[in-house]
Structures are given as C-alpha cells and as structure tokens.
Amino acid sequence: MMSTIDRGHWSSKLGFILAAAGSAVGLGNIWKFPYITGENGGGWFVLIYLICIACVGLPIMTAEIFIGRTAQSSPVGAFRALSRPGSPWIGVGWLGVATAFVILSYYSVVAGWAMHYAWLSISGAFARISPDQIAPIFATGDLSDPGLYENAPLNLLWHILFMGLTIAIVIGGIRGGVERWARILMPVLFLFLLVLLGRAMTTEGFAGALDFVFGPHSDKLTPAGVLEALGHAFFTLSLGMGAMITYGSYLKSDDDLVTTSITVSVLDTIIALVACMVLFPIIFAYGMEPSAGPGLVFVSLPIAFAQMPAGSFWATLFFVLLTFAALTSAISLLEVAVSYFIDEKGWKRSRATLLCGGVILVLGIPSALSGGTELFGAGFQSATGALGIKEGAGLNWFDFFDYLASNWMLPLGGLGIALFVAWRVGGEAREQGFRAGTQYGRLYWAWIHLLRYVVPIGVVLVFLNAIGLLGILDEIAW
Ligand code: TRP
C-alpha cells in the first residue's frame, strides 16, 4: 500500500548527493573517527576501516537506496511493499524508526556541545581560559566531577537549541528544507575543512600525523579494534536504520543507484581522513596525546587552539564546521521518524516533525544531564549487563544509548537490509533495479555476493564481540 500523495523528490541528482553526503558526514567523521583512530594506533586501523567501508558499507548503502528508490516509501512502507503480506520483514522498518529516536536523542547532545564550543570560540572565551579550565567544560558524566552538575543546564540549553534548528529545517520538507540546507551547509563545510587542512599542513606536526594515520604501526591494533572499525562503517555511512532508504525514496526510479552510492561513500571517507589530517597535526604540534578518546576534539583540541596564533579564528572555523556536519546528519535522523508518520499515518509534515522532534528532545534530557549508572539503580545495571556491558564501565545514560544503537540496533538493521535484498527481493527485479541508469552494471555480481556472505559474517562477528564471546580477543595484540 503506497501513499498516493506526492511525497516530494530531490530537485536533481546533485541535490540527493549533497543531502545523502550531509547525512553521512557528521560527528562520526570529525569527532569519533579521529579519536578511535587515535585509540587504535592509526595505520592498520585506517586500512581495515577502508576495507570495511568498501566490502560492507558500500553494498549496504546501495541496498538501502535500492529499497527506497524501488518502493518510493519510507522504511516500514518499503518493506511492506516489497514483501508478502504479513511477512516479518516489516520489523526491520520498525527497528529503523526506533533507532532514529535513540540515536538522535544523544547525537543532539554532542551536537549541542559543538554549538556551545562554536559559541565559546566566536565570543573569544577560549582565548581567555587556561587549559585546566577547559576540561571541566566537557562534562564527561563522571559523578565525582563537580563540573557535571554545573554544566547540566548548559548542556540542556544547547541540546534544546540544536533540536530546535533541526526541527525548523525538517518542517520545510524535502526540497524546501532538507535539500535546501544541504546545498548551503555542505559547501561551507568543504570550504572550512580545506582551509583548516591548509593551516594544519603548515604546523610541524603534519609529517608526524601523516605517518600516524597512514603508516603501518602494528603495536596497538587488536581484533576488537577491527570490529570497532566495522561497527563504525555503519554509523559513519548512516546505515542500518533506513536513513538511506528514506532519502532513496525521494529519488526517481531511474536515477543511478551505483554512482550515487559510490560518490557518497567516497566523500564520507575522504572527509573522515581529512578530519584526521586537520586534527592530528595540531594535536602533535602542541604536544597533546592522540589517544585521548572522546575528549580529543572537546578537550585536547581547544587547548591546542588556545596556544595557536589567531587560535580563536581557527577554533571558530572548526566548531562551526562540526556544528554544520552534525546538523545535516541530525536532519536525516529526524526525517526517518517524520517520514514514517507522514507515509504510514497520513500526518501532515508539520505535525509529524513537531511531535517526533519533541519526543526526541525529551528522550535526550537524561543524556544531556548525563547521569552515571548509579542514578538508574541496580535494575539498569543488570539490563546493561545482559547486553554485554562490563560492570563498572562507568556507563551512563548517554553511553548506554550510543552502545545500544551502534553495537546492536544498527548492525541488526543492516543485517536485515542485506539479507532482505540478497535473499528475498525477486532476482530479476533486483538486477534490473541495480542496472537502471548506471554504467556500472557489471558490479552486480560483486554486490550480491558481498550482501549474501560478507555482510552477514561481519555483522555476526560484531554481535559476538558485543556480548563478550570474543572477549579473549581484547588480550591479543597483533
Ligand atoms: N552518519 C552520521 C555521522 O557520521 C550519523 C548518522 C546520521 C547516522 N544518520 C544516521 C547514523 C543514520 C546511523 C544511521 O555522524
């Protein structure tokens, strides 16, 4: 049952590519990828990540856009349209909608920090504070940290502001909101990133950073790190919850599937690598640690900026860029939830956006306040224990949502999408769909075989790792 109202389309292929790249390029590229690269010692980790993108990410991206473009519907409707009545595949669509709520609720909190930091840079506050004043600004969720409760209202304020912006854009619809803002924000993002890269190249840390990111250092990488690379391939390409199904549903049915998926994946990968080449030279030049974890962008980098000539200017460029990257991703997360209520329940866009956005805003409050595990008592701890989270890991609401989404919901959704396209959708329709409008039809065989075998094996390994069955792997360093 497909909706009869015109759901809107992208104005051109470029519009789709910018919007899809906007979804993919986000905090995952500029905040998370550099810090997990740092934690895993660079070099080999980056290579393995590239293999995961090519062999797992790219085929799923193509599969998602294929589903959306074929069904011309958001995930739930798409699975219904492409499978037999009453079939359980529709569950993959439901899972996607639920995942959108979970991810955006904490994603918006991190994006709020980015906005807060952009504001601190613009107002020149960073230049005036000393390094040890910066760490507490970044509330880590450690209950013993007095900075936490002082910052709670601030985190909340920026979370609300960021969600407000996201809602305001999504209300404008596909052409007038999502695509329009991708066309403005993405070029600015590219430009700022290039300017920052130019600056980073002139620091004395550049050669060391090149070696760190691309040189073969085997000392830190563990098999668990390999699975982290695989998990991140899902997150960074916005896969596993139907975001690309949703965006693909606004394509016309003969738009080239293969070239667009490749373009978006390559853009996303280049930006993640360039982000490393912006961050690490600055980090190295000012004697900071590359393995600082989540605080790499929010603690180490501002300290380095504070010592740099014209540091406020460079910090402003960086944190505005980070905010823009997060915004175009948040838009896609909200659009998945919104399009479900429009397509399935027949709601008006404005009503769907305000309601979904409002619910996500409320869901994000615990993450913004970032209370420790203790706040949620023993029941919460045993629930997280069952999911393979080690006791005493200092897990708070925020980490819990991130863990749940990145290690369980996205891989599960990705598995469902891959199996559905590889084994369920009629072979002829699938092959025709893949070949429509593209000159890369000969990749069809590789696509199907990656979806059938490589993707499921990869996802199962992520699960085994998550429940700790591969715990022993943590001990082995290569
Ligand atoms: N890809 C984005 C990033 O790298 C995050 C994101 C946006 C996302 N939409 C998504 C992740 C859908 C998973 C699913 O920051």
Side-chain angles (χ1 to χ4, degrees), residues 22-30 99-100 103 107 232 234-244 268 325-326 328-333 336 410:
S23 167
V25 174
L27 296 167
N29 302 60
I30 296 163
T99 312
I103 297 186
Y107 198 87
H232 186 65
F234 278 93
F235 189 84
T236 190
L237 292 178
S238 300
L239 301 176
M241 54 156 264
M244 292 297 165
D268 183 80
T328 48
S329 297
I331 290 169
S332 77
L333 286 158
V336 171
L410 292 181

PDB file of all heavy atoms in Angstrom, residues 22-30 99-100 103 107 232 234-244 268 325-326 328-333 336 410, ligand 1:
ATOM      1  N   GLY A  22      25.451  14.785   3.326  1.00  0.00           N
ATOM      2  CA  GLY A  22      25.202  15.547   4.560  1.00  0.00           C
ATOM      3  C   GLY A  22      24.808  14.618   5.697  1.00  0.00           C
ATOM      4  O   GLY A  22      25.226  14.800   6.844  1.00  0.00           O
ATOM      5  N   SER A  23      24.009  13.601   5.368  1.00  0.00           N
ATOM      6  CA  SER A  23      23.628  12.628   6.386  1.00  0.00           C
ATOM      7  C   SER A  23      24.846  11.832   6.847  1.00  0.00           C
ATOM      8  O   SER A  23      25.086  11.655   8.043  1.00  0.00           O
ATOM      9  CB  SER A  23      22.571  11.677   5.817  1.00  0.00           C
ATOM     10  OG  SER A  23      22.410  10.566   6.660  1.00  0.00           O
ATOM     11  N   ALA A  24      25.637  11.379   5.884  1.00  0.00           N
ATOM     12  CA  ALA A  24      26.777  10.523   6.225  1.00  0.00           C
ATOM     13  C   ALA A  24      27.862  11.294   6.974  1.00  0.00           C
ATOM     14  O   ALA A  24      28.380  10.837   7.989  1.00  0.00           O
ATOM     15  CB  ALA A  24      27.342   9.898   4.947  1.00  0.00           C
ATOM     16  N   VAL A  25      28.196  12.472   6.466  1.00  0.00           N
ATOM     17  CA  VAL A  25      29.264  13.242   7.093  1.00  0.00           C
ATOM     18  C   VAL A  25      28.728  13.915   8.347  1.00  0.00           C
ATOM     19  O   VAL A  25      27.822  14.739   8.272  1.00  0.00           O
ATOM     20  CB  VAL A  25      29.792  14.324   6.126  1.00  0.00           C
ATOM     21  CG1 VAL A  25      30.789  15.220   6.838  1.00  0.00           C
ATOM     22  CG2 VAL A  25      30.409  13.681   4.914  1.00  0.00           C
ATOM     23  N   GLY A  26      29.258  13.525   9.504  1.00  0.00           N
ATOM     24  CA  GLY A  26      28.735  14.087  10.733  1.00  0.00           C
ATOM     25  C   GLY A  26      29.740  13.964  11.854  1.00  0.00           C
ATOM     26  O   GLY A  26      30.949  13.879  11.616  1.00  0.00           O
ATOM     27  N   LEU A  27      29.214  13.932  13.065  1.00  0.00           N
ATOM     28  CA  LEU A  27      30.088  13.781  14.231  1.00  0.00           C
ATOM     29  C   LEU A  27      30.914  12.510  14.104  1.00  0.00           C
ATOM     30  O   LEU A  27      32.035  12.439  14.598  1.00  0.00           O
ATOM     31  CB  LEU A  27      29.239  13.709  15.495  1.00  0.00           C
ATOM     32  CG  LEU A  27      28.447  14.977  15.806  1.00  0.00           C
ATOM     33  CD1 LEU A  27      27.409  14.712  16.883  1.00  0.00           C
ATOM     34  CD2 LEU A  27      29.384  16.087  16.227  1.00  0.00           C
ATOM     35  N   GLY A  28      30.354  11.508  13.435  1.00  0.00           N
ATOM     36  CA  GLY A  28      31.077  10.255  13.226  1.00  0.00           C
ATOM     37  C   GLY A  28      32.400  10.483  12.512  1.00  0.00           C
ATOM     38  O   GLY A  28      33.405   9.854  12.837  1.00  0.00           O
ATOM     39  N   ASN A  29      32.409  11.383  11.541  1.00  0.00           N
ATOM     40  CA  ASN A  29      33.633  11.621  10.772  1.00  0.00           C
ATOM     41  C   ASN A  29      34.620  12.507  11.506  1.00  0.00           C
ATOM     42  O   ASN A  29      35.820  12.281  11.457  1.00  0.00           O
ATOM     43  CB  ASN A  29      33.308  12.327   9.455  1.00  0.00           C
ATOM     44  CG  ASN A  29      32.342  11.545   8.616  1.00  0.00           C
ATOM     45  OD1 ASN A  29      31.222  11.280   9.042  1.00  0.00           O
ATOM     46  ND2 ASN A  29      32.780  11.139   7.462  1.00  0.00           N
ATOM     47  N   ILE A  30      34.102  13.557  12.135  1.00  0.00           N
ATOM     48  CA  ILE A  30      35.011  14.602  12.597  1.00  0.00           C
ATOM     49  C   ILE A  30      35.330  14.466  14.076  1.00  0.00           C
ATOM     50  O   ILE A  30      36.396  14.830  14.528  1.00  0.00           O
ATOM     51  CB  ILE A  30      34.424  15.974  12.224  1.00  0.00           C
ATOM     52  CG1 ILE A  30      34.385  16.049  10.692  1.00  0.00           C
ATOM     53  CG2 ILE A  30      35.246  17.128  12.780  1.00  0.00           C
ATOM     54  CD1 ILE A  30      33.493  17.103  10.148  1.00  0.00           C
ATOM     55  N   THR A  99      15.325   3.227  16.111  1.00  0.00           N
ATOM     56  CA  THR A  99      16.735   3.590  16.199  1.00  0.00           C
ATOM     57  C   THR A  99      16.932   5.088  15.968  1.00  0.00           C
ATOM     58  O   THR A  99      17.790   5.723  16.599  1.00  0.00           O
ATOM     59  CB  THR A  99      17.566   2.786  15.173  1.00  0.00           C
ATOM     60  OG1 THR A  99      17.203   1.409  15.270  1.00  0.00           O
ATOM     61  CG2 THR A  99      19.049   2.910  15.448  1.00  0.00           C
ATOM     62  N   ALA A 100      16.140   5.653  15.074  1.00  0.00           N
ATOM     63  CA  ALA A 100      16.255   7.087  14.802  1.00  0.00           C
ATOM     64  C   ALA A 100      16.021   7.883  16.077  1.00  0.00           C
ATOM     65  O   ALA A 100      16.749   8.834  16.378  1.00  0.00           O
ATOM     66  CB  ALA A 100      15.247   7.499  13.728  1.00  0.00           C
ATOM     67  N   ILE A 103      19.153   7.296  18.490  1.00  0.00           N
ATOM     68  CA  ILE A 103      20.399   7.958  18.091  1.00  0.00           C
ATOM     69  C   ILE A 103      20.273   9.478  18.195  1.00  0.00           C
ATOM     70  O   ILE A 103      21.117  10.144  18.784  1.00  0.00           O
ATOM     71  CB  ILE A 103      20.830   7.566  16.663  1.00  0.00           C
ATOM     72  CG1 ILE A 103      21.135   6.066  16.595  1.00  0.00           C
ATOM     73  CG2 ILE A 103      22.075   8.356  16.235  1.00  0.00           C
ATOM     74  CD1 ILE A 103      21.709   5.596  15.285  1.00  0.00           C
ATOM     75  N   TYR A 107      22.747  12.148  19.965  1.00  0.00           N
ATOM     76  CA  TYR A 107      23.520  12.836  18.929  1.00  0.00           C
ATOM     77  C   TYR A 107      23.346  14.350  19.085  1.00  0.00           C
ATOM     78  O   TYR A 107      24.301  15.117  18.962  1.00  0.00           O
ATOM     79  CB  TYR A 107      22.989  12.382  17.577  1.00  0.00           C
ATOM     80  CG  TYR A 107      23.908  12.636  16.404  1.00  0.00           C
ATOM     81  CD1 TYR A 107      24.892  11.709  16.057  1.00  0.00           C
ATOM     82  CD2 TYR A 107      23.785  13.772  15.615  1.00  0.00           C
ATOM     83  CE1 TYR A 107      25.721  11.914  14.984  1.00  0.00           C
ATOM     84  CE2 TYR A 107      24.609  13.982  14.533  1.00  0.00           C
ATOM     85  CZ  TYR A 107      25.578  13.046  14.219  1.00  0.00           C
ATOM     86  OH  TYR A 107      26.403  13.258  13.150  1.00  0.00           O
ATOM     87  N   HIS A 232      31.875   1.062  13.085  1.00  0.00           N
ATOM     88  CA  HIS A 232      31.879   2.477  12.725  1.00  0.00           C
ATOM     89  C   HIS A 232      31.523   2.687  11.255  1.00  0.00           C
ATOM     90  O   HIS A 232      30.974   3.724  10.892  1.00  0.00           O
ATOM     91  CB  HIS A 232      33.232   3.115  13.048  1.00  0.00           C
ATOM     92  CG  HIS A 232      33.230   4.594  12.831  1.00  0.00           C
ATOM     93  ND1 HIS A 232      32.445   5.448  13.575  1.00  0.00           N
ATOM     94  CD2 HIS A 232      33.865   5.369  11.925  1.00  0.00           C
ATOM     95  CE1 HIS A 232      32.615   6.686  13.144  1.00  0.00           C
ATOM     96  NE2 HIS A 232      33.470   6.669  12.140  1.00  0.00           N
ATOM     97  N   PHE A 234      29.190   1.322   9.686  1.00  0.00           N
ATOM     98  CA  PHE A 234      27.737   1.505   9.653  1.00  0.00           C
ATOM     99  C   PHE A 234      27.364   2.915  10.054  1.00  0.00           C
ATOM    100  O   PHE A 234      26.580   3.588   9.408  1.00  0.00           O
ATOM    101  CB  PHE A 234      27.051   0.571  10.663  1.00  0.00           C
ATOM    102  CG  PHE A 234      26.856  -0.811  10.176  1.00  0.00           C
ATOM    103  CD1 PHE A 234      27.784  -1.799  10.438  1.00  0.00           C
ATOM    104  CD2 PHE A 234      25.732  -1.128   9.449  1.00  0.00           C
ATOM    105  CE1 PHE A 234      27.602  -3.087   9.979  1.00  0.00           C
ATOM    106  CE2 PHE A 234      25.539  -2.407   8.987  1.00  0.00           C
ATOM    107  CZ  PHE A 234      26.482  -3.401   9.259  1.00  0.00           C
ATOM    108  N   PHE A 235      27.901   3.318  11.180  1.00  0.00           N
ATOM    109  CA  PHE A 235      27.496   4.594  11.751  1.00  0.00           C
ATOM    110  C   PHE A 235      27.845   5.748  10.815  1.00  0.00           C
ATOM    111  O   PHE A 235      27.031   6.621  10.542  1.00  0.00           O
ATOM    112  CB  PHE A 235      28.165   4.789  13.114  1.00  0.00           C
ATOM    113  CG  PHE A 235      27.620   5.973  13.856  1.00  0.00           C
ATOM    114  CD1 PHE A 235      26.471   5.859  14.615  1.00  0.00           C
ATOM    115  CD2 PHE A 235      28.247   7.206  13.765  1.00  0.00           C
ATOM    116  CE1 PHE A 235      25.959   6.957  15.285  1.00  0.00           C
ATOM    117  CE2 PHE A 235      27.740   8.303  14.429  1.00  0.00           C
ATOM    118  CZ  PHE A 235      26.592   8.178  15.195  1.00  0.00           C
ATOM    119  N   THR A 236      29.082   5.732  10.320  1.00  0.00           N
ATOM    120  CA  THR A 236      29.540   6.884   9.555  1.00  0.00           C
ATOM    121  C   THR A 236      28.806   7.014   8.228  1.00  0.00           C
ATOM    122  O   THR A 236      28.618   8.124   7.727  1.00  0.00           O
ATOM    123  CB  THR A 236      31.066   6.837   9.342  1.00  0.00           C
ATOM    124  OG1 THR A 236      31.485   8.089   8.805  1.00  0.00           O
ATOM    125  CG2 THR A 236      31.471   5.731   8.394  1.00  0.00           C
ATOM    126  N   LEU A 237      28.386   5.887   7.639  1.00  0.00           N
ATOM    127  CA  LEU A 237      27.654   5.986   6.373  1.00  0.00           C
ATOM    128  C   LEU A 237      26.138   6.086   6.594  1.00  0.00           C
ATOM    129  O   LEU A 237      25.367   6.008   5.643  1.00  0.00           O
ATOM    130  CB  LEU A 237      27.979   4.788   5.476  1.00  0.00           C
ATOM    131  CG  LEU A 237      29.418   4.716   4.936  1.00  0.00           C
ATOM    132  CD1 LEU A 237      29.615   3.447   4.104  1.00  0.00           C
ATOM    133  CD2 LEU A 237      29.756   5.937   4.084  1.00  0.00           C
ATOM    134  N   SER A 238      25.713   6.252   7.829  1.00  0.00           N
ATOM    135  CA  SER A 238      24.277   6.355   8.151  1.00  0.00           C
ATOM    136  C   SER A 238      23.506   5.111   7.725  1.00  0.00           C
ATOM    137  O   SER A 238      22.411   5.199   7.181  1.00  0.00           O
ATOM    138  CB  SER A 238      23.622   7.561   7.473  1.00  0.00           C
ATOM    139  OG  SER A 238      24.222   8.751   7.875  1.00  0.00           O
ATOM    140  N   LEU A 239      24.083   3.934   7.970  1.00  0.00           N
ATOM    141  CA  LEU A 239      23.429   2.712   7.511  1.00  0.00           C
ATOM    142  C   LEU A 239      22.787   1.942   8.646  1.00  0.00           C
ATOM    143  O   LEU A 239      23.125   2.136   9.805  1.00  0.00           O
ATOM    144  CB  LEU A 239      24.468   1.803   6.843  1.00  0.00           C
ATOM    145  CG  LEU A 239      25.175   2.438   5.661  1.00  0.00           C
ATOM    146  CD1 LEU A 239      26.247   1.499   5.129  1.00  0.00           C
ATOM    147  CD2 LEU A 239      24.179   2.791   4.574  1.00  0.00           C
ATOM    148  N   GLY A 240      21.853   1.063   8.291  1.00  0.00           N
ATOM    149  CA  GLY A 240      21.300   0.131   9.256  1.00  0.00           C
ATOM    150  C   GLY A 240      19.987   0.563   9.880  1.00  0.00           C
ATOM    151  O   GLY A 240      19.405  -0.180  10.643  1.00  0.00           O
ATOM    152  N   MET A 241      19.525   1.777   9.593  1.00  0.00           N
ATOM    153  CA  MET A 241      18.218   2.156  10.148  1.00  0.00           C
ATOM    154  C   MET A 241      17.304   2.783   9.109  1.00  0.00           C
ATOM    155  O   MET A 241      16.262   3.336   9.456  1.00  0.00           O
ATOM    156  CB  MET A 241      18.371   3.081  11.351  1.00  0.00           C
ATOM    157  CG  MET A 241      19.198   4.310  11.095  1.00  0.00           C
ATOM    158  SD  MET A 241      18.792   5.631  12.235  1.00  0.00           S
ATOM    159  CE  MET A 241      17.638   6.543  11.223  1.00  0.00           C
ATOM    160  N   GLY A 242      17.703   2.677   7.860  1.00  0.00           N
ATOM    161  CA  GLY A 242      16.783   3.145   6.827  1.00  0.00           C
ATOM    162  C   GLY A 242      16.888   4.624   6.491  1.00  0.00           C
ATOM    163  O   GLY A 242      16.027   5.158   5.797  1.00  0.00           O
ATOM    164  N   ALA A 243      17.929   5.304   6.959  1.00  0.00           N
ATOM    165  CA  ALA A 243      18.082   6.711   6.567  1.00  0.00           C
ATOM    166  C   ALA A 243      18.277   6.799   5.058  1.00  0.00           C
ATOM    167  O   ALA A 243      17.701   7.664   4.392  1.00  0.00           O
ATOM    168  CB  ALA A 243      19.270   7.345   7.297  1.00  0.00           C
ATOM    169  N   MET A 244      19.081   5.879   4.514  1.00  0.00           N
ATOM    170  CA  MET A 244      19.313   5.913   3.065  1.00  0.00           C
ATOM    171  C   MET A 244      18.116   5.335   2.292  1.00  0.00           C
ATOM    172  O   MET A 244      17.903   5.679   1.140  1.00  0.00           O
ATOM    173  CB  MET A 244      20.603   5.177   2.710  1.00  0.00           C
ATOM    174  CG  MET A 244      21.844   5.879   3.219  1.00  0.00           C
ATOM    175  SD  MET A 244      22.066   7.528   2.478  1.00  0.00           S
ATOM    176  CE  MET A 244      23.299   8.226   3.585  1.00  0.00           C
ATOM    177  N   ASP A 268      32.345  10.625   2.068  1.00  0.00           N
ATOM    178  CA  ASP A 268      32.351  10.439   3.519  1.00  0.00           C
ATOM    179  C   ASP A 268      33.732   9.986   4.005  1.00  0.00           C
ATOM    180  O   ASP A 268      34.237  10.472   5.021  1.00  0.00           O
ATOM    181  CB  ASP A 268      31.295   9.393   3.899  1.00  0.00           C
ATOM    182  CG  ASP A 268      31.200   9.208   5.400  1.00  0.00           C
ATOM    183  OD1 ASP A 268      30.554  10.049   6.044  1.00  0.00           O
ATOM    184  OD2 ASP A 268      31.790   8.246   5.931  1.00  0.00           O
ATOM    185  N   ALA A 325      28.218  19.887  10.214  1.00  0.00           N
ATOM    186  CA  ALA A 325      28.261  18.461   9.894  1.00  0.00           C
ATOM    187  C   ALA A 325      27.199  17.725  10.701  1.00  0.00           C
ATOM    188  O   ALA A 325      26.469  16.874  10.180  1.00  0.00           O
ATOM    189  CB  ALA A 325      29.642  17.892  10.187  1.00  0.00           C
ATOM    190  N   ALA A 326      27.095  18.069  11.986  1.00  0.00           N
ATOM    191  CA  ALA A 326      26.119  17.401  12.852  1.00  0.00           C
ATOM    192  C   ALA A 326      24.691  17.730  12.420  1.00  0.00           C
ATOM    193  O   ALA A 326      23.802  16.879  12.457  1.00  0.00           O
ATOM    194  CB  ALA A 326      26.338  17.822  14.305  1.00  0.00           C
ATOM    195  N   THR A 328      23.351  18.491   9.373  1.00  0.00           N
ATOM    196  CA  THR A 328      22.825  17.769   8.205  1.00  0.00           C
ATOM    197  C   THR A 328      22.604  16.284   8.524  1.00  0.00           C
ATOM    198  O   THR A 328      21.780  15.636   7.890  1.00  0.00           O
ATOM    199  CB  THR A 328      23.765  17.910   6.983  1.00  0.00           C
ATOM    200  OG1 THR A 328      25.103  17.629   7.399  1.00  0.00           O
ATOM    201  CG2 THR A 328      23.691  19.298   6.400  1.00  0.00           C
ATOM    202  N   SER A 329      23.346  15.735   9.497  1.00  0.00           N
ATOM    203  CA  SER A 329      23.112  14.346   9.898  1.00  0.00           C
ATOM    204  C   SER A 329      21.851  14.234  10.745  1.00  0.00           C
ATOM    205  O   SER A 329      21.046  13.319  10.568  1.00  0.00           O
ATOM    206  CB  SER A 329      24.297  13.807  10.698  1.00  0.00           C
ATOM    207  OG  SER A 329      25.454  13.796   9.918  1.00  0.00           O
ATOM    208  N   ALA A 330      21.707  15.174  11.661  1.00  0.00           N
ATOM    209  CA  ALA A 330      20.524  15.159  12.529  1.00  0.00           C
ATOM    210  C   ALA A 330      19.250  15.291  11.695  1.00  0.00           C
ATOM    211  O   ALA A 330      18.235  14.654  11.988  1.00  0.00           O
ATOM    212  CB  ALA A 330      20.614  16.291  13.548  1.00  0.00           C
ATOM    213  N   ILE A 331      19.328  16.103  10.642  1.00  0.00           N
ATOM    214  CA  ILE A 331      18.178  16.264   9.748  1.00  0.00           C
ATOM    215  C   ILE A 331      17.748  14.904   9.202  1.00  0.00           C
ATOM    216  O   ILE A 331      16.571  14.561   9.181  1.00  0.00           O
ATOM    217  CB  ILE A 331      18.559  17.214   8.584  1.00  0.00           C
ATOM    218  CG1 ILE A 331      18.715  18.645   9.108  1.00  0.00           C
ATOM    219  CG2 ILE A 331      17.516  17.157   7.472  1.00  0.00           C
ATOM    220  CD1 ILE A 331      19.341  19.607   8.097  1.00  0.00           C
ATOM    221  N   SER A 332      18.726  14.081   8.788  1.00  0.00           N
ATOM    222  CA  SER A 332      18.372  12.787   8.195  1.00  0.00           C
ATOM    223  C   SER A 332      17.797  11.847   9.243  1.00  0.00           C
ATOM    224  O   SER A 332      16.909  11.044   8.954  1.00  0.00           O
ATOM    225  CB  SER A 332      19.586  12.152   7.516  1.00  0.00           C
ATOM    226  OG  SER A 332      20.470  11.589   8.462  1.00  0.00           O
ATOM    227  N   LEU A 333      18.306  11.943  10.465  1.00  0.00           N
ATOM    228  CA  LEU A 333      17.775  11.082  11.530  1.00  0.00           C
ATOM    229  C   LEU A 333      16.318  11.442  11.814  1.00  0.00           C
ATOM    230  O   LEU A 333      15.451  10.573  11.923  1.00  0.00           O
ATOM    231  CB  LEU A 333      18.623  11.235  12.795  1.00  0.00           C
ATOM    232  CG  LEU A 333      20.000  10.551  12.732  1.00  0.00           C
ATOM    233  CD1 LEU A 333      20.961  11.159  13.732  1.00  0.00           C
ATOM    234  CD2 LEU A 333      19.860   9.053  12.978  1.00  0.00           C
ATOM    235  N   VAL A 336      13.771  10.294   9.084  1.00  0.00           N
ATOM    236  CA  VAL A 336      13.333   8.892   9.106  1.00  0.00           C
ATOM    237  C   VAL A 336      12.080   8.755   9.971  1.00  0.00           C
ATOM    238  O   VAL A 336      11.094   8.120   9.573  1.00  0.00           O
ATOM    239  CB  VAL A 336      14.449   7.961   9.638  1.00  0.00           C
ATOM    240  CG1 VAL A 336      13.921   6.554   9.871  1.00  0.00           C
ATOM    241  CG2 VAL A 336      15.614   7.932   8.663  1.00  0.00           C
ATOM    242  N   LEU A 410      21.958  -0.786  14.901  1.00  0.00           N
ATOM    243  CA  LEU A 410      22.404  -0.549  13.521  1.00  0.00           C
ATOM    244  C   LEU A 410      22.884  -1.837  12.832  1.00  0.00           C
ATOM    245  O   LEU A 410      22.465  -2.122  11.712  1.00  0.00           O
ATOM    246  CB  LEU A 410      23.498   0.520  13.467  1.00  0.00           C
ATOM    247  CG  LEU A 410      23.080   1.941  13.827  1.00  0.00           C
ATOM    248  CD1 LEU A 410      24.270   2.890  13.697  1.00  0.00           C
ATOM    249  CD2 LEU A 410      21.934   2.416  12.960  1.00  0.00           C
TER     250      LEU A 410
HETATM  251  N1  TRP B   1      26.469   9.276   9.731  1.00  0.00           N
HETATM  252  C1  TRP B   1      26.334  10.282  10.734  1.00  0.00           C
HETATM  253  C2  TRP B   1      27.714  10.547  11.342  1.00  0.00           C
HETATM  254  O1  TRP B   1      28.693  10.029  10.874  1.00  0.00           O
HETATM  255  C3  TRP B   1      25.351   9.936  11.791  1.00  0.00           C
HETATM  256  C4  TRP B   1      24.053   9.488  11.250  1.00  0.00           C
HETATM  257  C5  TRP B   1      23.161  10.223  10.570  1.00  0.00           C
HETATM  258  C6  TRP B   1      23.525   8.205  11.277  1.00  0.00           C
HETATM  259  N2  TRP B   1      22.090   9.474  10.184  1.00  0.00           N
HETATM  260  C7  TRP B   1      22.309   8.227  10.613  1.00  0.00           C
HETATM  261  C8  TRP B   1      23.992   7.037  11.808  1.00  0.00           C
HETATM  262  C9  TRP B   1      21.581   7.084  10.454  1.00  0.00           C
HETATM  263  C10 TRP B   1      23.249   5.880  11.651  1.00  0.00           C
HETATM  264  C11 TRP B   1      22.060   5.894  10.979  1.00  0.00           C
HETATM  265  O2  TRP B   1      27.822  11.277  12.284  1.00  0.00           O
END
